[in-house]
Amino acid sequence: QVQVVESGGGLVQTGGSLRLSCAASGGIFSINAMGWYRQAPGKQREMVAVFTSGGRTVYEYSVKGRFSISRDNAKNTVYLQMNSLKPEDTAIYYCNLEVRRVGAQWDDSYWGQGTQVTVAS
């Protein structure tokens, strides 16, 4: 059974930094796409930064130059370094992984539990 655990959210002042982590474990053969999404109150969930299965790195326009996504394949972990945070970055952040389980013929999508990021003005 694949488990996905997020960590690293919290409360920070405008201009501050946070680093989110998302680690997957349990019967994983490969992870073919990894990314971060966020959902602010009253808004739809939106993509923040992703590694696509085709090898591209994509950022949402408003976070370009401030956020950086990285991965450690050996640890099945994806990170989101968030710098120069703004109040409008306040949201629950979720990681999403496209996982090929051992013995499976297709990828399954897994979401983390979500971690709150609050940026105070």
Side-chain angles (χ1 to χ4, degrees):
Q1 183 73 14
V2 175
Q3 293 185 326
V4 179
V5 178
E6 296 183 33
S7 61
L11 172 64
V12 66
Q13 296 295 316
T14 296
S17 297
L18 285 172
R19 189 191 194 209
L20 306 183
S21 299
C22 171
S25 61
I28 297 171
F29 177 75
S30 64
I31 300 178
N32 300 314
M34 312 171 92
W36 291 94
Y37 296 73
R38 66 186 179 187
Q39 188 165 17
K43 296 187 177 181
Q44 290 188 332
R45 190 173 298 188
E46 65 175 359
M47 184 275 292
V48 176
V50 297
F51 291 116
T52 71
S53 58
R56 295 174 59 219
T57 304
V58 181
Y59 291 95
E60 193 273 328
Y61 179 80
S62 70
V63 308
K64 283 183 178 180
R66 300 189 298 122
F67 291 12
S68 177
I69 188 172
S70 61
R71 64 194 295 175
D72 185 332
N73 291 330
K75 296 181 179 179
N76 290 328
T77 299
V78 61
Y79 304 96
L80 185 67
Q81 178 66 44
M82 304 184 292
N83 299 326
S84 301
L85 282 160
K86 304 175 180 181
E88 51 264 43
D89 294 318
T90 295
I92 300 175
Y93 284 70
Y94 299 90
C95 65
N96 177 259
L97 308 176
E98 297 293 323
V99 176
R100 180 70 57 92
R101 291 176 291 115
V102 174
Q105 300 298 310
W106 56 83
D107 296 349
D108 292 311
S109 180
Y110 293 88
W111 289 92
Q113 80 277 16
T115 186
Q116 177 70 47
V117 171
T118 302
V119 185
S121 57

Short mmCIF file of all heavy atoms in Angstrom, two decimals, residues 50-99:
data_model
loop_
_atom_site.label_atom_id
_atom_site.label_comp_id
_atom_site.label_asym_id
_atom_site.label_seq_id
_atom_site.Cartn_x
_atom_site.Cartn_y
_atom_site.Cartn_z
N VAL A 50 5.18 21.30 -11.15
CA VAL A 50 5.17 19.86 -11.41
C VAL A 50 6.36 19.43 -12.24
O VAL A 50 6.89 20.22 -13.04
CB VAL A 50 3.89 19.41 -12.15
CG1 VAL A 50 2.65 19.66 -11.32
CG2 VAL A 50 3.77 20.07 -13.51
N PHE A 51 6.78 18.20 -12.00
CA PHE A 51 7.63 17.46 -12.93
C PHE A 51 6.69 16.57 -13.72
O PHE A 51 6.03 15.71 -13.14
CB PHE A 51 8.64 16.56 -12.19
CG PHE A 51 9.71 17.29 -11.44
CD1 PHE A 51 9.81 17.19 -10.07
CD2 PHE A 51 10.65 18.06 -12.11
CE1 PHE A 51 10.82 17.84 -9.36
CE2 PHE A 51 11.65 18.72 -11.43
CZ PHE A 51 11.73 18.62 -10.04
N THR A 52 6.62 16.77 -15.03
CA THR A 52 5.72 15.95 -15.83
C THR A 52 6.37 14.60 -16.16
O THR A 52 7.59 14.43 -16.04
CB THR A 52 5.37 16.66 -17.14
OG1 THR A 52 6.53 16.67 -17.98
CG2 THR A 52 4.91 18.09 -16.89
N SER A 53 5.54 13.67 -16.61
CA SER A 53 6.06 12.37 -17.00
C SER A 53 6.96 12.47 -18.22
O SER A 53 7.78 11.59 -18.47
CB SER A 53 4.91 11.40 -17.26
OG SER A 53 4.07 11.91 -18.27
N GLY A 54 6.82 13.55 -18.96
CA GLY A 54 7.67 13.77 -20.12
C GLY A 54 8.99 14.45 -19.81
O GLY A 54 9.77 14.73 -20.71
N GLY A 55 9.24 14.73 -18.51
CA GLY A 55 10.52 15.29 -18.12
C GLY A 55 10.56 16.81 -18.05
O GLY A 55 11.63 17.39 -17.88
N ARG A 56 9.41 17.46 -18.20
CA ARG A 56 9.38 18.91 -18.13
C ARG A 56 9.13 19.36 -16.69
O ARG A 56 8.53 18.65 -15.90
CB ARG A 56 8.28 19.47 -19.02
CG ARG A 56 8.49 19.23 -20.51
CD ARG A 56 7.26 19.69 -21.29
NE ARG A 56 7.01 21.11 -21.06
CZ ARG A 56 5.79 21.63 -20.92
NH1 ARG A 56 4.73 20.85 -20.98
NH2 ARG A 56 5.63 22.92 -20.73
N THR A 57 9.57 20.57 -16.39
CA THR A 57 9.26 21.22 -15.12
C THR A 57 8.38 22.42 -15.45
O THR A 57 8.76 23.26 -16.26
CB THR A 57 10.53 21.69 -14.40
OG1 THR A 57 11.41 20.57 -14.23
CG2 THR A 57 10.19 22.27 -13.04
N VAL A 58 7.22 22.49 -14.81
CA VAL A 58 6.25 23.53 -15.11
C VAL A 58 5.89 24.26 -13.82
O VAL A 58 5.62 23.62 -12.80
CB VAL A 58 4.98 22.94 -15.75
CG1 VAL A 58 3.99 24.05 -16.08
CG2 VAL A 58 5.33 22.15 -17.02
N TYR A 59 5.87 25.58 -13.89
CA TYR A 59 5.49 26.40 -12.74
C TYR A 59 4.27 27.24 -13.09
O TYR A 59 4.12 27.72 -14.21
CB TYR A 59 6.62 27.34 -12.33
CG TYR A 59 7.81 26.66 -11.72
CD1 TYR A 59 8.92 26.32 -12.50
CD2 TYR A 59 7.85 26.37 -10.36
CE1 TYR A 59 10.02 25.69 -11.93
CE2 TYR A 59 8.95 25.75 -9.78
CZ TYR A 59 10.02 25.41 -10.58
OH TYR A 59 11.12 24.79 -10.01
N GLU A 60 3.42 27.44 -12.10
CA GLU A 60 2.33 28.40 -12.23
C GLU A 60 2.96 29.78 -12.32
O GLU A 60 3.97 30.07 -11.68
CB GLU A 60 1.40 28.29 -11.03
CG GLU A 60 0.07 29.01 -11.17
CD GLU A 60 0.14 30.46 -10.74
OE1 GLU A 60 0.93 30.76 -9.83
OE2 GLU A 60 -0.58 31.28 -11.34
N TYR A 61 2.37 30.65 -13.13
CA TYR A 61 3.02 31.91 -13.47
C TYR A 61 3.38 32.75 -12.23
O TYR A 61 4.48 33.31 -12.16
CB TYR A 61 2.11 32.72 -14.39
CG TYR A 61 2.69 34.05 -14.78
CD1 TYR A 61 3.65 34.14 -15.79
CD2 TYR A 61 2.30 35.23 -14.13
CE1 TYR A 61 4.20 35.35 -16.14
CE2 TYR A 61 2.85 36.45 -14.48
CZ TYR A 61 3.78 36.50 -15.49
OH TYR A 61 4.34 37.71 -15.83
N SER A 62 2.49 32.81 -11.26
CA SER A 62 2.71 33.72 -10.14
C SER A 62 3.83 33.26 -9.20
O SER A 62 4.30 34.04 -8.37
CB SER A 62 1.42 33.89 -9.33
OG SER A 62 1.10 32.70 -8.63
N VAL A 63 4.29 32.01 -9.33
CA VAL A 63 5.34 31.53 -8.42
C VAL A 63 6.70 31.43 -9.11
O VAL A 63 7.70 31.12 -8.45
CB VAL A 63 4.96 30.16 -7.79
CG1 VAL A 63 3.58 30.22 -7.16
CG2 VAL A 63 5.08 29.02 -8.78
N LYS A 64 6.73 31.67 -10.40
CA LYS A 64 8.01 31.60 -11.12
C LYS A 64 9.03 32.54 -10.53
O LYS A 64 8.73 33.70 -10.26
CB LYS A 64 7.80 31.93 -12.60
CG LYS A 64 7.19 30.81 -13.41
CD LYS A 64 7.09 31.22 -14.87
CE LYS A 64 6.52 30.09 -15.70
NZ LYS A 64 6.40 30.47 -17.14
N GLY A 65 10.22 32.03 -10.30
CA GLY A 65 11.29 32.83 -9.73
C GLY A 65 11.27 32.89 -8.21
O GLY A 65 12.23 33.36 -7.59
N ARG A 66 10.17 32.43 -7.61
CA ARG A 66 10.08 32.43 -6.13
C ARG A 66 10.07 31.00 -5.57
O ARG A 66 10.62 30.76 -4.49
CB ARG A 66 8.81 33.15 -5.68
CG ARG A 66 8.74 34.60 -6.11
CD ARG A 66 7.55 35.32 -5.44
NE ARG A 66 6.26 34.74 -5.82
CZ ARG A 66 5.38 34.25 -4.96
NH1 ARG A 66 5.65 34.25 -3.67
NH2 ARG A 66 4.23 33.76 -5.39
N PHE A 67 9.42 30.11 -6.28
CA PHE A 67 9.30 28.71 -5.83
C PHE A 67 10.20 27.82 -6.68
O PHE A 67 10.42 28.10 -7.87
CB PHE A 67 7.86 28.21 -5.96
CG PHE A 67 6.87 28.83 -5.00
CD1 PHE A 67 7.19 29.94 -4.24
CD2 PHE A 67 5.60 28.28 -4.90
CE1 PHE A 67 6.26 30.50 -3.37
CE2 PHE A 67 4.66 28.83 -4.04
CZ PHE A 67 5.00 29.94 -3.27
N SER A 68 10.67 26.74 -6.07
CA SER A 68 11.50 25.78 -6.81
C SER A 68 11.12 24.37 -6.39
O SER A 68 11.12 24.04 -5.20
CB SER A 68 12.98 26.04 -6.51
OG SER A 68 13.78 25.09 -7.17
N ILE A 69 10.81 23.53 -7.37
CA ILE A 69 10.50 22.14 -7.11
C ILE A 69 11.74 21.29 -7.35
O ILE A 69 12.51 21.56 -8.28
CB ILE A 69 9.33 21.66 -8.00
CG1 ILE A 69 8.86 20.26 -7.60
CG2 ILE A 69 9.68 21.74 -9.48
CD1 ILE A 69 7.58 19.82 -8.31
N SER A 70 11.96 20.32 -6.49
CA SER A 70 13.08 19.41 -6.65
C SER A 70 12.66 18.02 -6.19
O SER A 70 11.60 17.86 -5.58
CB SER A 70 14.31 19.90 -5.86
OG SER A 70 14.01 19.95 -4.48
N ARG A 71 13.49 17.04 -6.50
CA ARG A 71 13.14 15.66 -6.17
C ARG A 71 14.37 14.87 -5.78
O ARG A 71 15.49 15.17 -6.23
CB ARG A 71 12.42 14.99 -7.34
CG ARG A 71 13.28 14.86 -8.59
CD ARG A 71 12.45 14.51 -9.82
NE ARG A 71 11.83 13.19 -9.72
CZ ARG A 71 10.99 12.70 -10.63
NH1 ARG A 71 10.64 13.44 -11.67
NH2 ARG A 71 10.47 11.50 -10.48
N ASP A 72 14.16 13.87 -4.94
CA ASP A 72 15.19 12.91 -4.60
C ASP A 72 14.61 11.55 -4.94
O ASP A 72 13.80 11.00 -4.18
CB ASP A 72 15.54 13.00 -3.11
CG ASP A 72 16.71 12.09 -2.71
OD1 ASP A 72 16.90 11.05 -3.37
OD2 ASP A 72 17.40 12.41 -1.75
N ASN A 73 14.99 11.01 -6.08
CA ASN A 73 14.41 9.75 -6.55
C ASN A 73 14.72 8.59 -5.62
O ASN A 73 13.91 7.68 -5.46
CB ASN A 73 14.89 9.45 -7.96
CG ASN A 73 14.33 10.42 -8.98
OD1 ASN A 73 13.23 10.95 -8.82
ND2 ASN A 73 15.08 10.67 -10.05
N ALA A 74 15.90 8.61 -5.02
CA ALA A 74 16.29 7.52 -4.13
C ALA A 74 15.38 7.46 -2.90
O ALA A 74 15.18 6.39 -2.32
CB ALA A 74 17.74 7.67 -3.71
N LYS A 75 14.86 8.61 -2.51
CA LYS A 75 14.00 8.69 -1.34
C LYS A 75 12.52 8.80 -1.70
O LYS A 75 11.67 8.94 -0.81
CB LYS A 75 14.39 9.89 -0.48
CG LYS A 75 15.79 9.80 0.11
CD LYS A 75 16.09 11.02 0.98
CE LYS A 75 17.47 10.93 1.60
NZ LYS A 75 17.78 12.12 2.44
N ASN A 76 12.20 8.74 -2.99
CA ASN A 76 10.81 8.90 -3.44
C ASN A 76 10.18 10.15 -2.83
O ASN A 76 9.05 10.12 -2.31
CB ASN A 76 9.97 7.67 -3.10
CG ASN A 76 10.35 6.46 -3.94
OD1 ASN A 76 10.75 6.59 -5.09
ND2 ASN A 76 10.26 5.29 -3.34
N THR A 77 10.92 11.24 -2.89
CA THR A 77 10.51 12.47 -2.22
C THR A 77 10.57 13.64 -3.19
O THR A 77 11.51 13.74 -3.99
CB THR A 77 11.41 12.74 -1.01
OG1 THR A 77 11.29 11.65 -0.08
CG2 THR A 77 11.00 14.02 -0.30
N VAL A 78 9.57 14.51 -3.07
CA VAL A 78 9.56 15.75 -3.84
C VAL A 78 9.47 16.91 -2.85
O VAL A 78 8.84 16.81 -1.80
CB VAL A 78 8.38 15.78 -4.85
CG1 VAL A 78 7.04 15.68 -4.15
CG2 VAL A 78 8.45 17.01 -5.73
N TYR A 79 10.16 17.99 -3.19
CA TYR A 79 10.23 19.16 -2.33
C TYR A 79 9.69 20.40 -3.05
O TYR A 79 9.70 20.46 -4.28
CB TYR A 79 11.68 19.44 -1.93
CG TYR A 79 12.39 18.27 -1.28
CD1 TYR A 79 13.19 17.42 -2.03
CD2 TYR A 79 12.26 18.02 0.08
CE1 TYR A 79 13.85 16.34 -1.45
CE2 TYR A 79 12.91 16.95 0.68
CZ TYR A 79 13.70 16.11 -0.09
OH TYR A 79 14.35 15.05 0.50
N LEU A 80 9.25 21.35 -2.27
CA LEU A 80 8.88 22.66 -2.82
C LEU A 80 9.51 23.72 -1.92
O LEU A 80 9.10 23.89 -0.77
CB LEU A 80 7.37 22.84 -2.88
CG LEU A 80 6.91 24.13 -3.54
CD1 LEU A 80 7.24 24.11 -5.04
CD2 LEU A 80 5.41 24.35 -3.34
N GLN A 81 10.52 24.38 -2.44
CA GLN A 81 11.14 25.50 -1.73
C GLN A 81 10.39 26.76 -2.12
O GLN A 81 10.32 27.10 -3.31
CB GLN A 81 12.62 25.62 -2.11
CG GLN A 81 13.32 26.79 -1.46
CD GLN A 81 13.43 26.65 0.05
OE1 GLN A 81 13.76 25.57 0.55
NE2 GLN A 81 13.15 27.71 0.78
N MET A 82 9.85 27.45 -1.13
CA MET A 82 9.05 28.64 -1.38
C MET A 82 9.74 29.83 -0.73
O MET A 82 9.90 29.87 0.49
CB MET A 82 7.65 28.46 -0.80
CG MET A 82 6.93 27.23 -1.31
SD MET A 82 5.23 27.11 -0.72
CE MET A 82 5.51 26.82 1.02
N ASN A 83 10.17 30.77 -1.55
CA ASN A 83 10.82 31.99 -1.09
C ASN A 83 9.97 33.21 -1.42
O ASN A 83 9.07 33.14 -2.25
CB ASN A 83 12.20 32.13 -1.74
CG ASN A 83 13.12 30.97 -1.41
OD1 ASN A 83 13.09 30.42 -0.32
ND2 ASN A 83 13.97 30.61 -2.37
N SER A 84 10.27 34.31 -0.79
CA SER A 84 9.56 35.57 -1.04
C SER A 84 8.05 35.37 -0.98
O SER A 84 7.31 35.81 -1.86
CB SER A 84 9.97 36.14 -2.41
OG SER A 84 11.36 36.35 -2.46
N LEU A 85 7.61 34.71 0.07
CA LEU A 85 6.20 34.37 0.18
C LEU A 85 5.33 35.62 0.33
O LEU A 85 5.74 36.62 0.95
CB LEU A 85 5.98 33.42 1.35
CG LEU A 85 6.36 31.96 1.04
CD1 LEU A 85 6.60 31.18 2.31
CD2 LEU A 85 5.28 31.30 0.19
N LYS A 86 4.13 35.53 -0.25
CA LYS A 86 3.17 36.62 -0.23
C LYS A 86 1.87 36.12 0.42
O LYS A 86 1.59 34.92 0.41
CB LYS A 86 2.87 37.06 -1.66
CG LYS A 86 4.08 37.47 -2.47
CD LYS A 86 3.70 37.79 -3.90
CE LYS A 86 4.91 38.18 -4.72
NZ LYS A 86 4.53 38.51 -6.13
N PRO A 87 1.07 37.05 0.95
CA PRO A 87 -0.21 36.61 1.55
C PRO A 87 -1.08 35.80 0.58
O PRO A 87 -1.79 34.87 1.02
CB PRO A 87 -0.87 37.93 1.92
CG PRO A 87 0.28 38.85 2.20
CD PRO A 87 1.33 38.48 1.19
N GLU A 88 -1.00 36.11 -0.70
CA GLU A 88 -1.82 35.38 -1.68
C GLU A 88 -1.32 33.95 -1.91
O GLU A 88 -1.99 33.17 -2.61
CB GLU A 88 -1.88 36.12 -3.02
CG GLU A 88 -0.54 36.53 -3.57
CD GLU A 88 -0.19 37.99 -3.22
OE1 GLU A 88 -0.42 38.39 -2.05
OE2 GLU A 88 0.32 38.69 -4.12
N ASP A 89 -0.19 33.59 -1.33
CA ASP A 89 0.26 32.19 -1.38
C ASP A 89 -0.40 31.34 -0.29
O ASP A 89 -0.22 30.12 -0.27
CB ASP A 89 1.78 32.12 -1.20
CG ASP A 89 2.54 32.75 -2.34
OD1 ASP A 89 2.15 32.55 -3.51
OD2 ASP A 89 3.53 33.47 -2.07
N THR A 90 -1.15 31.98 0.59
CA THR A 90 -1.82 31.25 1.66
C THR A 90 -2.80 30.24 1.08
O THR A 90 -3.67 30.59 0.28
CB THR A 90 -2.56 32.22 2.59
OG1 THR A 90 -1.60 33.05 3.25
CG2 THR A 90 -3.38 31.47 3.62
N ALA A 91 -2.65 28.98 1.48
CA ALA A 91 -3.48 27.90 0.95
C ALA A 91 -3.10 26.61 1.64
O ALA A 91 -2.10 26.54 2.37
CB ALA A 91 -3.28 27.76 -0.56
N ILE A 92 -3.88 25.58 1.37
CA ILE A 92 -3.46 24.23 1.71
C ILE A 92 -2.72 23.68 0.49
O ILE A 92 -3.24 23.73 -0.63
CB ILE A 92 -4.65 23.32 2.06
CG1 ILE A 92 -5.40 23.89 3.27
CG2 ILE A 92 -4.17 21.90 2.35
CD1 ILE A 92 -6.66 23.14 3.61
N TYR A 93 -1.53 23.18 0.73
CA TYR A 93 -0.69 22.66 -0.34
C TYR A 93 -0.73 21.13 -0.33
O TYR A 93 -0.57 20.50 0.73
CB TYR A 93 0.75 23.15 -0.18
CG TYR A 93 0.90 24.59 -0.60
CD1 TYR A 93 0.34 25.62 0.15
CD2 TYR A 93 1.59 24.94 -1.77
CE1 TYR A 93 0.47 26.95 -0.24
CE2 TYR A 93 1.72 26.25 -2.17
CZ TYR A 93 1.15 27.25 -1.40
OH TYR A 93 1.28 28.57 -1.79
N TYR A 94 -0.94 20.57 -1.50
CA TYR A 94 -1.03 19.13 -1.67
C TYR A 94 0.02 18.66 -2.66
O TYR A 94 0.23 19.30 -3.71
CB TYR A 94 -2.39 18.73 -2.22
CG TYR A 94 -3.57 19.10 -1.37
CD1 TYR A 94 -4.21 20.32 -1.52
CD2 TYR A 94 -4.08 18.20 -0.43
CE1 TYR A 94 -5.32 20.66 -0.75
CE2 TYR A 94 -5.18 18.53 0.35
CZ TYR A 94 -5.79 19.75 0.18
OH TYR A 94 -6.88 20.07 0.95
N CYS A 95 0.64 17.53 -2.38
CA CYS A 95 1.49 16.92 -3.39
C CYS A 95 0.68 15.83 -4.11
O CYS A 95 -0.27 15.26 -3.56
CB CYS A 95 2.76 16.34 -2.80
SG CYS A 95 2.53 14.97 -1.66
N ASN A 96 1.08 15.59 -5.34
CA ASN A 96 0.45 14.55 -6.15
C ASN A 96 1.54 13.75 -6.84
O ASN A 96 2.47 14.33 -7.42
CB ASN A 96 -0.49 15.16 -7.18
CG ASN A 96 -1.10 14.12 -8.09
OD1 ASN A 96 -0.66 13.94 -9.22
ND2 ASN A 96 -2.09 13.41 -7.59
N LEU A 97 1.40 12.45 -6.79
CA LEU A 97 2.39 11.56 -7.39
C LEU A 97 1.70 10.56 -8.30
O LEU A 97 0.65 10.00 -7.94
CB LEU A 97 3.14 10.78 -6.30
CG LEU A 97 3.75 11.59 -5.16
CD1 LEU A 97 4.35 10.65 -4.12
CD2 LEU A 97 4.80 12.53 -5.69
N GLU A 98 2.27 10.35 -9.47
CA GLU A 98 1.81 9.31 -10.39
C GLU A 98 2.75 8.12 -10.21
O GLU A 98 3.89 8.15 -10.65
CB GLU A 98 1.83 9.80 -11.83
CG GLU A 98 0.90 10.98 -12.08
CD GLU A 98 -0.56 10.60 -11.93
OE1 GLU A 98 -0.95 9.47 -12.32
OE2 GLU A 98 -1.34 11.44 -11.40
N VAL A 99 2.24 7.07 -9.53
CA VAL A 99 3.09 5.98 -9.05
C VAL A 99 2.81 4.69 -9.82
O VAL A 99 1.66 4.30 -10.03
CB VAL A 99 2.84 5.74 -7.55
CG1 VAL A 99 3.65 4.54 -7.06
CG2 VAL A 99 3.17 6.99 -6.74
#
